[in-house]
Amino acid sequence: MKKKINYVANYLPWLDAVAILAWGILLLKYYFSRQLGLLIHPNYFWLAIVTGILLLFLGGLKIAQLIGTKSKIVSQSSGQHVSLFPPGWGSSLLLGTAILGLTIAPSVLKSDTALKRGITESLPLTRVQPQAFRGDSKPEERSIIDWIRTLNAYPEPDAYIGEPAKVKGFVIHSPRLPNNYLLVARFVITCCAVDAYPVGLPVKLLNESQTDFPPDTWIEVEGEMISETLPETKNQDETINKRQVIIAASSVTPIKTPANPYHY
Amino acid sequence: MNQLYNAFTLFFSLLVEAMPFLLLGVLLSSALLSLMDERQLIAKLPRNPILGAIIGSCIGFAFPVCECGNVPVARRLILQGVPTSLAVGFLLAAPTINPIVIWSTSVAFPDRPEIVLLRILFSLAIAIIIGSIFSVQKDPRPLLQSMLARRLNTFISRPSPRVTQEKGKEPLPALLQSGTFLLSGEGSPIAMTETLARTPVQQQVLPNKLVQFLENIALELRELGGMLVLGSAIAAGIQVFVPRELILSLGQGTMGSILAMMVLAALVSICSTVDSFFVLSFASTFTTGSLLAFLVFGPIIDIKSVGLMLSIFRPRIIFYFFALAAQLTFIFALGYSYFG
């Protein structure tokens, strides 16, 4: 029995070191495999990278120390902390999640999440407000988020009638929309994927129907802005008819999922 | 299956965003533990109770620890005889009023500065109010858990020889006193009283400090990291698996949303350096007042910190903390919802 305790006590510091190392590797792996953009806003990439390097360094230091002190059991810290987990649990949790993260790649958020979170055509009040009214930008160069920001600053649908539009996004089938309409949407991230919120514009298809473009297909829509009265898609229980800006599509082409699927 | 995959992605998104702040907090608190001389700081602290509560609430800036690190520090503060109001103020405010937490909150809410500001103000106000209330009790011993109270008794009844030593008088030779002593080769014998506890760190040599520094980093990373993993899993799970209608119906009522978030804060026990990322997943569905309630109440008291506080205070005192903090948080958050 005593032997077993000694064995566990000897083995626990190694578990700590390996867990720290694994997290360092995971953070750097996310960066080098370009998956970091699926998880957090690019503004905070450097935080994750620095942390990855630091963790590798600390894990290495810890291992060096363990090798140096081989048979001696390193004394645990002098009662500064009251333990929250049974011995080994915290590190096992960390190591386990790191291994999961290393084996399974993060996913791109899809239309089901968008429908669940509610697609907005206007930015929620609390979100990033337009820094300036970009009236001078060419309409056909606006991305979905540019359109939404513009609409947010000046919401009158009639003001945009006839403007050319060319946007990329993924397809959402909204249950409120008739068969020849779909939503072209993008997720916007302010901090990390947790706060990703979808913004989208309704598209009126020319000859095709919804079924030609299954949900989550990435498409490029070219067309012209019109205004029409459509059932509002945002609210769950009640349908409000609302006049809004719609892209009357002249062409819809499926495209590859962009390397950077989110807007910031 | 798809839902599970989404939850998985959100889970890692939370972890990757939070890990840097966790590591920074752990590094700083470990560095403090091995490098800083608390006694010098304590010698400069004021004795006035209200001022003490205010200063105590602000020392978090010097001790950037989250709610797992603040309990041991508060415990040491009390053992070293600082006024109760100051220790209580520190205990309640330090997890929020510190640079790392303020930074991580502003990272999570880059476009809502009012959340950052009000989180600081409300937490400060609550810590100062509760600190002042406890300042009425001058002698901390009745508040303390019995073992700690006994330790403090030894301090008060038998102060260290250095303090009793009067000018001009020969100090009583150590070996003529009763008690246990450490005989060292050079210098005088060291009494094995609790006074040893007052001088924990600074006599150590540097390599030892480095070892202690590393030890503490590993310790805090596994404890807080484990908690972070559990908390993130809960947040991602709630976001993906709980029907949106339920969350919306909970989150839209003014009072209901505040209460729901306070219960969640008490249950989830996520570290204050990273809790703003957790609450981010509710940002679009819950009222701002309720988000504030989470951010203010969580660091003050939750299941985990109650466990830790039991190592300092009697259960009744912790219940008082809990009741006072809960009511104050609720009033502040409600006030913000109506007048903000």
Side-chain angles (χ1 to χ4, degrees):
Chain A
M1 188 64 200
K2 207 181 172 194
K3 248 187 181 173
K4 196 183 173 192
I5 293 171
N6 264 342
Y7 172 74
V8 170
N10 271 330
Y11 152 83
L12 281 180
W14 285 94
L15 187 67
D16 290 348
V18 174
I20 294 174
L21 272 181
W23 264 96
I25 295 170
L26 177 66
L27 288 178
L28 293 179
K29 175 237 170 190
Y30 275 144
Y31 175 68
F32 286 115
S33 63
R34 295 169 171 246
Q35 287 165 341
L36 208 49
L38 299 181
L39 299 173
I40 60 175
H41 192 288
N43 278 358
Y44 309 121
F45 279 10
W46 66 273
L47 272 176
I49 298 164
V50 171
T51 306
I53 295 169
L54 269 177
L55 285 175
L56 281 185
F57 176 72
L58 286 172
L61 213 60
K62 180 95 190 149
I63 285 187
Q65 183 211 340
L66 284 174
I67 293 172
T69 52
K70 260 181 196 168
S71 55
K72 271 182 275 168
I73 297 169
V74 186
S75 67
Q76 290 299 306
S77 173
S78 49
Q80 299 299 343
H81 271 262
V82 185
S83 200
L84 301 166
F85 292 113
W89 278 51
S91 283
S92 308
L93 265 177
L94 280 174
L95 184 59
T97 43
I99 291 171
L100 263 182
L102 284 168
T103 40
I104 308 173
S107 67
V108 180
L109 294 178
K110 292 198 168 130
S111 58
D112 53 342
T113 315
L115 283 172
K116 206 169 175 203
R117 294 191 183 179
I119 312 117
T120 42
E121 188 219 277
S122 58
L123 293 169
L125 270 181
T126 51
R127 297 295 182 176
V128 190
Q129 295 298 310
Q131 299 301 310
F133 181 63
R134 299 211 218 143
D136 54 339
S137 69
K138 283 188 184 166
E140 64 270 26
E141 281 171 9
R142 288 181 197 146
S143 64
I144 294 178
I145 183 73
D146 291 335
W147 271 108
I148 300 290
R149 281 184 183 142
T150 314
L151 283 169
N152 219 42
Y154 189 74
E156 173 52 52
D158 286 347
Y160 304 97
I161 292 177
E163 290 193 353
K166 188 179 170 186
V167 295
K168 288 176 194 164
F170 62 92
V171 174
I172 298 177
H173 289 179
S174 166
R176 310 258 170 230
L177 290 177
N179 197 27
N180 60 332
Y181 291 84
L182 51 79
L183 283 165
V184 59
R186 272 298 215 356
F187 275 102
V188 181
I189 287 184
T190 43
C191 167
C192 48
V194 173
D195 74 352
Y197 65 103
V199 289
L201 290 169
V203 177
K204 187 180 188 180
L205 299 168
L206 198 60
N207 304 315
E208 306 95 329
S209 75
Q210 266 189 7
T211 42
D212 296 325
F213 304 99
D216 301 323
T217 326
W218 279 80
I219 52 169
E220 185 175 61
V221 181
E222 257 183 279
E224 196 181 275
M225 285 304 187
I226 55 170
S227 89
E228 261 184 33
T229 305
L230 279 180
E232 172 72 325
T233 48
K234 200 168 79 177
N235 218 321
Q236 294 127 48
D237 303 323
E238 46 198 313
T239 315
I240 314 157
N241 282 324
K242 192 182 154 201
R243 204 161 49 86
Q244 50 185 272
V245 173
I246 293 168
I247 308 176
S250 52
S251 84
V252 179
T253 27
I255 53 169
K256 267 199 206 163
T257 308
N260 209 347
Y262 302 135
H263 273 313
Y264 304 103
Chain B
M1 195 58 212
N2 196 9
Q3 294 240 3
L4 193 65
Y5 199 17
N6 277 341
F8 173 84
T9 305
L10 296 183
F11 171 62
F12 273 94
S13 156
L14 273 173
L15 284 177
V16 169
E17 185 74 64
M19 201 52 91
F21 294 95
L22 190 72
L23 180 65
L24 187 60
V26 167
L27 282 178
L28 271 177
S29 90
S30 304
L32 269 174
L33 185 68
S34 6
L35 299 178
M36 207 159 131
D37 188 354
E38 277 165 22
R39 286 181 311 161
Q40 285 181 4
L41 188 81
I42 288 162
K44 289 177 193 138
L45 293 175
R47 299 273 133 184
N48 176 297
I50 307 258
L51 201 63
I54 297 174
I55 301 282
S57 309
C58 299
I59 326 182
F61 255 95
F63 290 85
V65 287
C66 67
E67 70 255 42
C68 312
N70 71 335
V71 173
V73 176
R75 197 181 140 105
R76 287 203 294 275
L77 286 178
I78 288 179
L79 274 181
Q80 309 203 3
V82 307
T84 323
S85 65
L86 195 142
V88 170
F90 172 79
L91 185 70
L92 301 182
T96 317
I97 314 295
N98 80 56
I100 303 171
V101 173
I102 294 171
W103 185 26
S104 70
T105 315
S106 60
V107 164
F109 297 99
D111 41 8
R112 292 158 92 167
E114 73 274 12
I115 288 193
V116 186
L117 191 71
L118 289 173
R119 179 178 198 189
I120 300 170
L121 283 181
F122 288 174
S123 305
L124 254 185
I126 291 174
I128 292 173
I129 292 172
I130 299 183
S132 306
I133 291 174
F134 275 86
S135 71
V136 177
Q137 175 73 30
K138 289 275 181 293
D139 181 5
R141 278 170 290 179
L143 309 177
L144 299 179
Q145 178 239 15
S146 51
M147 229 169 73
L148 200 65
R150 237 177 292 137
R151 281 182 73 177
L152 201 62
N153 260 337
T154 14
F155 273 173
I156 292 168
S157 59
R158 191 165 15 131
S160 70
R162 251 174 308 159
V163 182
T164 45
Q165 191 175 323
E166 287 168 42
K167 268 184 194 165
K169 266 192 182 177
E170 273 294 299
L172 191 62
L175 291 174
L176 293 183
Q177 296 172 8
S178 63
T180 317
F181 292 86
L182 275 180
L183 288 170
S184 54
E186 71 244 41
S188 57
I190 304 162
M192 288 280 281
T193 57
E194 288 287 341
T195 42
L196 273 181
R198 297 192 187 186
T199 53
V201 188
Q202 50 274 10
Q203 289 135 347
Q204 294 181 2
V205 280
L206 198 67
N208 263 350
K209 276 189 180 178
L210 190 69
V211 171
Q212 192 196 17
F213 179 66
L214 267 180
E215 281 295 316
N216 201 58
I217 287 175
L219 176 82
E220 291 199 358
L221 265 185
R222 68 167 179 260
E223 296 279 330
L224 306 183
M227 225 57 211
L228 176 66
V229 167
L230 291 182
S232 306
I234 293 172
I238 290 179
Q239 213 187 358
V240 173
F241 297 114
V242 176
R244 189 179 154 82
E245 288 72 29
L246 181 70
I247 293 185
L248 271 179
S249 64
L250 263 180
Q252 297 301 330
T254 316
M255 291 207 202
S257 65
I258 294 174
L259 286 176
M261 281 317 249
M262 281 169 61
V263 171
L264 195 66
L267 291 181
V268 168
S269 307
I270 196 164
C271 188
S272 67
T273 37
V274 294
D275 61 355
S276 32
F277 301 115
F278 174 92
V279 85
L280 204 55
S281 48
F282 301 93
S284 57
T285 36
F286 273 70
T287 59
T288 309
S290 67
L291 301 184
L292 267 173
F294 180 97
L295 291 173
V296 171
F297 191 58
I300 292 179
I301 229 155
D302 55 38
I303 293 181
K304 177 190 62 184
S305 64
V306 166
L308 294 173
M309 279 184 199
L310 279 172
S311 68
I312 307 184
F313 294 106
R314 283 166 203 251
R316 195 157 45 103
I317 303 305
I318 298 175
F319 177 75
Y320 289 154
F321 280 157
F322 180 81
L324 285 169
Q327 290 171 34
L328 286 169
T329 310
F330 185 74
I331 292 170
F332 283 147
L334 201 64
Y336 171 79
S337 301
Y338 279 118
F339 307 111

